[in-house]
């Protein structure tokens, strides 16, 4: 186990280098030694070294200066200072400048062994933590923001441009266009990517609970507050908080939100402690906030506080060239998940996908492919597997009145998923009349609708 780790010892005293080397090699560590700073800097090329021991007092460049030089080479280097002059000032200075710990001469072998094991245990956990965050970050960046159209390329470009800053971003677009994916893309390309990305759907949380959701609460703050709970702003410390459907929050919550955005401070419900959190805000809406401001439903000061940098995501119908890419992406995804050998979408089915208007945007397309995968038989998705109907051609001028009525009734029935009550209401007739017309025109529900 210990053979995986390496230790570099830098000390001008041969006795110290020799004794430390023997101790560590007996335990199976790889050991390197240097008698001065210049030699140590050369040996940095033979690393990486898991722990570097540096004597504080050496001729030429001293240990503190060498530590600074090594940190320039490897900011994550774990350095332990060796000193025969165990003054508080020296220890504090070494720790302030990045040392992990310090030991004093004469060195106690038992303490040294214990210290090294703890350091390596800490390093192993830290390395695993970093790898996990990097893995999560890669998953986030690769998640489903698909397209090669100029419109979606512009969205990605803007997201990556604003990502390294702390600027507040407002993402706008119809429901289902992928606003949270853009928010995650910004977070994944920002310096905050190793910290939490916290998403709050403001429209899905009742206003009475949203305050607790955002700010947290203390035990006993209200009837169901059985435990202290951190709020989303507190959890997002160091990272990003994504406030979806921001246009739905009440005026009371808007005042509280504005205060938090200005000060980055808040208190939990029922608490007295002022909590400070360093978070970045990205919000999203499909509402007309400008109109809401005019109508007094959304605070103008909050609107300007949030609307610093805006990204518009176009609806899917305005970038139809992306539909085949997105459809095939989900085809592969669901084929793998369902273990079904469906490898393609037939040309006829793809034509339907491209011609359809997708009022639910990418979310609707994703669901359509998932549903089609359930019904389809290998090797391809066929038109009858799709739960959509393409844009209907304009009726010819010589069409009979009955033919036009038949087509229109069928269109409304399909649009309402054959909800008779809803369809009758849209058509302006009663349910009995609608049933009679269905019978008259021999209308039948398609098995996929």
């Amino acid at each position: 186990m210990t053979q995986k780790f390496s230790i570099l010892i830098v000390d001008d005293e041969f006795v110290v280098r020799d004794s430390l080397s023997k101790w560590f090699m007996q335990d199976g560590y790889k050991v390197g030694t240097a008698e001065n700073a210049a030699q140590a800097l050369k040996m940095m090329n033979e690393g990486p070294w898991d722990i570097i021991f540096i004597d504080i007092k050496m001729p030429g460049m001293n240990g503190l200066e060498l530590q600074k030089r090594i940190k320039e080479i490897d900011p994550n280097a774990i350095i332990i200072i060796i000193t025969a002059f165990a003054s508080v000032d020296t220890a504090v200075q070494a720790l302030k400048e990045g040392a992990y710990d310090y030991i004093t001469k004469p060195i106690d072998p038992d303490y040294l062994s214990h210290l090294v094991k703890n350091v390596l245990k800490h390093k192993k956990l830290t390395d695993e933590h970093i790898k996990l965050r990097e893995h999560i970050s890669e998953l986030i960046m690769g998640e489903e923001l698909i397209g090669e159209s100029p419109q979606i390329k512009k969205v990605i470009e803007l997201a990556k441009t604003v990502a390294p800053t702390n600027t507040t971003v407002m993402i706008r677009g119809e429901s289902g266009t992928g606003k949270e994916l853009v928010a995650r893309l910004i977070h994944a390309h920002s310096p905050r990517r190793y910290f939490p990305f916290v998403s709050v759907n403001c429209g899905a949380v009742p206003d009475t609970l949203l305050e607790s959701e955002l700010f947290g609460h203390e035990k006993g703050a209200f009837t169901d507050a059985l435990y202290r709970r951190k709020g989303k702003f507190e959890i997002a410390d160091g990272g990003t908080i994504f406030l979806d459907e921001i246009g739905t929050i009440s005026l009371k919550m808007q005042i509280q939100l504005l205060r938090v955005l200005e000060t980055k401070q808040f208190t939990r419900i029922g608490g007295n402690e002022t909590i400070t959190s360093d978070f970045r805000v990205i919000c999203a809406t499909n509402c007309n906030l400008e109109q809401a401001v005019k109508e007094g439903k959304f605070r103008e000061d909050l609107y300007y506080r949030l609307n610093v940098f805006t990204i518009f995501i176009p609806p899917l119908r305005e970038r139809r060239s992306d539909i085949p890419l997105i459809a095939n992406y989900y085809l592969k995804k669901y084929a793998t998940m369902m273990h079904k050998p469906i490898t393609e979408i037939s040309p006829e089915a793809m034509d339907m996908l491209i011609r359809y208007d997708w009022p639910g945007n990418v979310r609707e397309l994703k669901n359509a492919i998932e549903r089609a995968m359930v019904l389809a038989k290998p090797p391809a998705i066929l038109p009858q597997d799709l739960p959509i109907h393409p844009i209907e051609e304009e009726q010819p001028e010589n069409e009979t009145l009955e033919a036009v009525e038949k087509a229109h009734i069928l269109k409304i029935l399909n649009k309402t998923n054959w909800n008779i009550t809803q369809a009758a209401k849209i058509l302006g007739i009663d349910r009995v009349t609608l049933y009679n017309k269905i019978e008259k025109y021999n209308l039948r529900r398609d098995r996929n609708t």
Side-chain angles (χ1 to χ4, degrees):
M1 186 71 177
T2 55
Q3 290 178 348
K4 295 181 180 178
F5 299 111
S6 57
I7 295 173
L8 176 62
I9 302 162
V10 187
D11 197 307
D12 60 323
E13 294 185 49
F14 172 78
V15 175
V16 175
R17 297 197 307 273
D18 187 55
S19 58
L20 287 179
S21 297
K22 288 177 179 174
W23 288 339
F24 291 135
M25 285 192 287
Q26 283 177 354
D27 287 337
Y29 297 108
K30 172 190 172 184
V31 179
T33 60
E35 62 183 44
N36 54 49
Q39 191 177 357
L41 290 172
K42 287 182 181 177
M43 293 194 69
M44 288 301 293
N45 295 325
E46 300 175 14
W49 301 100
D50 294 303
I51 304 177
I52 304 173
F53 286 87
I54 301 177
D55 187 18
I56 198 76
K57 199 165 182 66
M58 293 186 294
M61 187 186 298
N62 65 33
L64 292 180
E65 179 62 23
L66 176 59
Q67 172 181 284
K68 183 179 178 183
R69 296 283 299 274
I70 289 177
K71 286 288 184 181
E72 291 173 354
I73 299 170
D74 180 7
N76 297 318
I78 296 176
I79 296 173
I80 296 176
I81 295 295
I82 305 172
T83 178
F85 307 97
S87 70
V88 173
D89 290 343
T90 304
V92 170
Q93 185 179 356
L95 296 175
K96 278 185 176 179
E97 295 181 7
Y100 181 88
D101 205 341
Y102 73 98
I103 55 176
T104 57
K105 298 178 182 177
I107 299 170
D108 179 350
D110 292 336
Y111 175 75
L112 183 63
S113 177
H114 179 71
L115 173 63
V116 167
K117 287 178 180 176
N118 280 342
V119 171
L120 294 177
K121 183 178 179 182
H122 170 79
K123 184 178 187 305
K124 185 179 179 183
L125 290 174
T126 301
D127 289 347
E128 290 175 353
H129 189 60
I130 291 173
K131 286 180 181 177
L132 180 60
R133 284 186 176 279
E134 288 176 345
H135 179 60
I136 292 172
S137 181
E138 288 172 0
L139 290 176
I140 291 172
M141 284 192 287
E143 180 75 11
E144 300 174 5
L145 192 60
I146 304 162
E148 293 184 348
S149 64
Q151 297 96 318
I152 203 66
K153 282 184 176 178
K154 183 65 176 177
V155 169
I156 294 171
E157 178 188 343
L158 288 173
K160 291 183 177 179
T161 299
V162 77
T165 72
N166 267 326
T167 301
T168 302
V169 180
M170 179 177 287
I171 304 171
R172 309 185 72 162
E174 294 180 4
S175 179
T177 48
K179 294 187 284 294
E180 181 164 347
L181 290 179
V182 174
R184 289 182 179 276
L185 180 69
I186 294 171
H187 175 74
H189 284 82
S190 77
R192 297 174 178 270
R193 61 185 175 276
Y194 297 129
F195 293 90
F197 176 90
V198 179
S199 179
V200 182
N201 187 337
C202 300
V205 182
D207 196 56
T208 51
L209 300 178
L210 187 59
E211 185 178 5
S212 171
E213 184 77 5
L214 292 176
F215 307 127
H217 61 252
E218 296 290 345
K219 180 182 179 181
F222 45 85
T223 304
D224 295 327
L226 303 178
Y227 306 97
R228 170 189 279 184
R229 183 186 178 192
K230 289 184 178 180
K232 298 297 187 185
F233 280 118
E234 192 172 351
I235 296 172
D237 187 26
T240 303
I241 185 166
F242 174 59
L243 302 174
D244 199 5
E245 297 191 36
I246 190 70
T248 63
I249 64 174
S250 68
L251 286 170
K252 178 188 172 187
M253 279 302 304
Q254 290 177 32
I255 296 171
Q256 292 179 274
L257 181 58
L258 180 64
R259 188 182 303 124
V260 172
L261 296 183
E262 294 289 350
T263 64
K264 298 291 179 74
Q265 292 184 331
F266 53 91
T267 57
R268 302 188 191 102
I269 298 174
N272 296 315
E273 180 189 0
T274 299
I275 299 168
T276 301
S277 181
D278 173 28
F279 55 82
R280 180 189 194 173
V281 172
I282 301 175
C283 64
T285 182
N286 56 12
C287 299
N288 186 337
L289 283 188
E290 292 77 9
Q291 185 63 33
V293 170
K294 287 180 182 176
E295 295 173 355
K297 297 177 180 176
F298 201 87
R299 290 179 63 93
E300 186 175 22
D301 45 7
L302 179 59
Y303 168 76
Y304 286 118
R305 183 66 181 79
L306 294 173
N307 193 31
V308 181
F309 189 93
T310 303
I311 297 177
F312 289 92
I313 306 179
L316 191 54
R317 62 182 175 278
E318 292 182 9
R319 52 183 185 105
R320 294 182 188 275
S321 61
D322 289 335
I323 291 175
L325 287 174
I326 299 170
N328 280 310
Y329 171 84
Y330 287 116
L331 169 76
K332 292 176 182 175
K333 177 178 179 178
Y334 290 120
T336 301
M337 289 174 61
M338 298 179 187
H339 305 288
K340 291 189 73 172
I342 309 290
T343 56
E344 60 181 307
I345 300 171
S346 74
E348 297 79 10
M350 185 62 80
D351 182 61
M352 285 178 62
L353 295 176
I354 295 172
R355 290 169 56 204
Y356 186 63
D357 256 358
W358 300 109
N361 291 291
V362 177
R363 183 184 296 127
E364 184 184 6
L365 174 55
K366 173 185 175 183
N367 293 340
I369 297 299
E370 182 179 3
R371 185 180 185 280
M373 287 296 295
V374 173
L375 298 174
K377 296 178 181 178
I381 290 177
L382 303 177
Q384 58 266 33
D385 300 320
L386 295 170
I388 61 168
H389 297 273
I391 301 170
E392 295 181 8
E393 302 293 339
E394 189 176 345
Q395 295 295 327
E397 293 182 354
N398 59 355
E399 195 77 61
T400 65
L401 181 60
E402 284 196 344
V404 172
E405 184 183 53
K406 176 183 176 182
H408 184 62
I409 291 173
L410 182 60
K411 176 183 175 182
I412 298 302
L413 285 168
N414 286 330
K415 186 176 181 180
T416 60
N417 198 26
W418 278 70
N419 183 316
I420 300 299
T421 301
Q422 190 177 352
K425 186 177 180 181
I426 294 173
L427 292 167
I429 57 179
D430 57 44
R431 288 162 51 91
V432 174
T433 303
L434 179 54
Y435 275 120
N436 290 336
K437 289 184 180 295
I438 291 172
E439 188 65 26
K440 174 184 175 182
Y441 294 129
N442 193 28
L443 300 176
R444 293 291 179 267
R445 184 176 185 173
D446 187 278
R447 71 177 178 86
N448 292 318
T449 62

